[in-house]
Amino acid sequence: MPLIVDTDIGGDPDDAIAIAVAAGRPELALVITSDEHGGRRARLARHLLDLLGRSDVPVVAGIDLGNDKYWAAEGLVPQEVPNQPEDILAAVRKVMATTDGKVRWLGIGPMSNLATVVAEIPDATARLIVTQMGGGLNYRHADRAEHNIRLDVAAARKVLHAGLRTWIVPSDVTFNPANEITSSSPEYELLAESGSAGLLICSHLDQWFANFHPGTMQHDAMALAQAVGRSFLRTSRVGVELDEIGRMTPGECQVSLTRSVDYVVFRLWLMERLTEVLAHS
C-alpha cells in the first residue's frame, strides 16, 4: 500500500525523525509539506530524503498558511537544493494511479492539503486510509485546540466530516514524558554518531532545544507506528467532533482513536528503525 506523508517538517524535529523512519519503508511514495514556510519545509524534506538515499521519493510543497513560528532548521539546507514542485493534486493522483487499491495517508501537520485532496479528487474519500496526529479529548490546554488542528480548523472539520477511514493519534497519548527525546536520550546519541542524515537531524534538534524547548515529544513517529499497524498502540472506535475553535469533543464522526501506548516498546521500535535507516544512509 503506497504511503503519502503530509508533514510540517522544520519546526518540532519529531517530523524529521518520523520521515527518517518512513524513509526506511519501501512503500513511501510521496512527501507533501503542510503549513509551508516559503518552500523551506519542502527543501528540508528533499535534502533529508536525499541524504537517506531516497531521492526516488518526490517532495511537493503544500499549502502555505502564513505561519512563521517555531522554525528550527535555519541554515541546514544547502543553497543548491532547489525549490520543490507545488502541484499537490497531480502528485497525489500519480501515486493513486500506481495501484487499484488503497493508499495510506499519514498526516503529521495541519490538514489543509488533505482537505484539498478530498474536495478535488473524486475517489480520494473511498481510497485513502488516513492516520492523523492531532486533537485530543483531554487536550492539556482547555482554552485552545491542539496545534495541527488549530492552524486550520476549517480544513480539519472538512476532513473529519468527509467520511474517510480515519485513525487519530491524539495529544492525549503523545504528550507523555516517556515519549520525549532530549540531548541525553539514546536516539540523540545515535543521530550524533551517524552519517550526514543523522547529523542533519541532530543539528535540527539542537536548534529546537536552544530556541524553543529542551525536549521533543515523538508525536509523529508514534502516528507513523499507528499508520503501519504496530500492535503496541491500542485504539477504540469513538465518535468525535470539533468545536468552533477546533477543540475535540465527543460527537458523531466515527474515528479510530489511539487510547493507550506501550511507551517502552514504542521507544525500542523507534530506536531499531532509526538504527536501521541510518546504517544505510
Side-chain angles (χ1 to χ4, degrees):
M1 191 186 304
L3 171 64
I4 298 172
V5 177
D6 184 17
T7 171
D8 57 351
I9 186 174
D12 189 329
D14 67 320
D15 287 81
I17 291 171
I19 289 173
V21 175
R25 302 189 65 89
E27 69 266 31
L28 180 62
L30 174 65
V31 171
I32 305 173
T33 54
S34 55
D35 186 26
E36 243 311 333
H37 185 25
R40 300 174 88 186
R41 299 190 195 280
R43 292 180 66 244
L44 176 59
R46 175 74 278 150
H47 183 46
L48 177 58
L49 287 168
D50 289 347
L51 293 178
L52 290 166
R54 294 304 308 268
S55 297
D56 59 305
V57 177
V59 174
V60 175
I63 294 172
D64 193 325
L65 299 174
N67 174 44
D68 60 0
K69 295 181 179 179
Y70 308 122
W71 182 250
E74 194 64 41
L76 297 185
V77 180
Q79 291 186 354
E80 60 266 24
V81 177
N83 290 329
Q84 298 301 294
E86 299 179 357
D87 194 336
I88 304 166
L89 296 176
V92 173
R93 287 189 180 104
K94 187 173 182 179
V95 173
M96 293 177 68
T98 65
T99 177
D100 293 330
K102 305 290 186 179
V103 173
R104 186 180 293 128
W105 179 289
L106 173 64
I108 51 177
M111 291 182 244
S112 317
N113 295 324
L114 181 54
T116 299
V117 166
V118 168
E120 299 294 333
I121 300 179
D123 59 340
T125 299
R127 295 187 58 197
L128 293 180
I129 298 178
V130 174
T131 302
Q132 176 68 41
M133 189 279 133
L137 289 172
N138 299 294
Y139 184 55
R140 59 201 184 113
H141 298 293
D143 60 337
R144 66 178 188 266
E146 182 274 331
H147 177 83
N148 286 345
I149 293 177
R150 182 170 73 245
L151 288 185
D152 194 342
V153 175
R157 296 181 81 168
K158 288 177 183 177
V159 168
L160 194 61
H161 287 268
L164 292 150
R165 290 179 60 187
T166 304
W167 277 254
I168 292 179
V169 181
S171 59
D172 303 353
V173 297
T174 62
F175 271 110
N176 188 294
N179 197 28
E180 187 173 34
I181 289 176
T182 68
S183 59
S184 61
S185 298
E187 294 92 344
Y188 182 90
E189 295 176 7
L190 171 67
L191 292 163
E193 295 171 358
S194 298
S196 53
L199 291 174
L200 172 64
I201 300 173
C202 195
S203 296
H204 186 14
L205 284 162
D206 288 341
Q207 286 194 29
W208 177 258
F209 296 157
N211 298 322
F212 300 106
H213 197 274
T216 169
M217 299 289 179
Q218 294 311 291
H219 311 285
D220 296 340
M222 189 171 286
L224 173 63
Q226 181 68 78
V228 298
R230 298 300 89 188
S231 61
F232 48 76
L233 298 106
R234 290 168 289 277
T235 66
S236 60
R237 196 75 175 162
V238 299
V240 298
E241 184 55 90
L242 300 176
D243 70 11
E244 67 279 359
I245 65 169
R247 292 173 299 193
M248 187 174 286
T249 63
E252 296 182 357
C253 298
Q254 293 295 308
V255 301
S256 295
L257 191 71
T258 305
R259 305 309 293 265
S260 63
V261 181
D262 187 326
Y263 296 98
V264 172
V265 177
F266 165 67
R267 292 293 288 270
L268 289 171
W269 174 83
L270 179 59
M271 190 68 173
E272 290 171 357
R273 299 287 75 76
L274 281 173
T275 300
E276 183 179 80
V277 72
L278 291 170
H280 295 92
S281 65

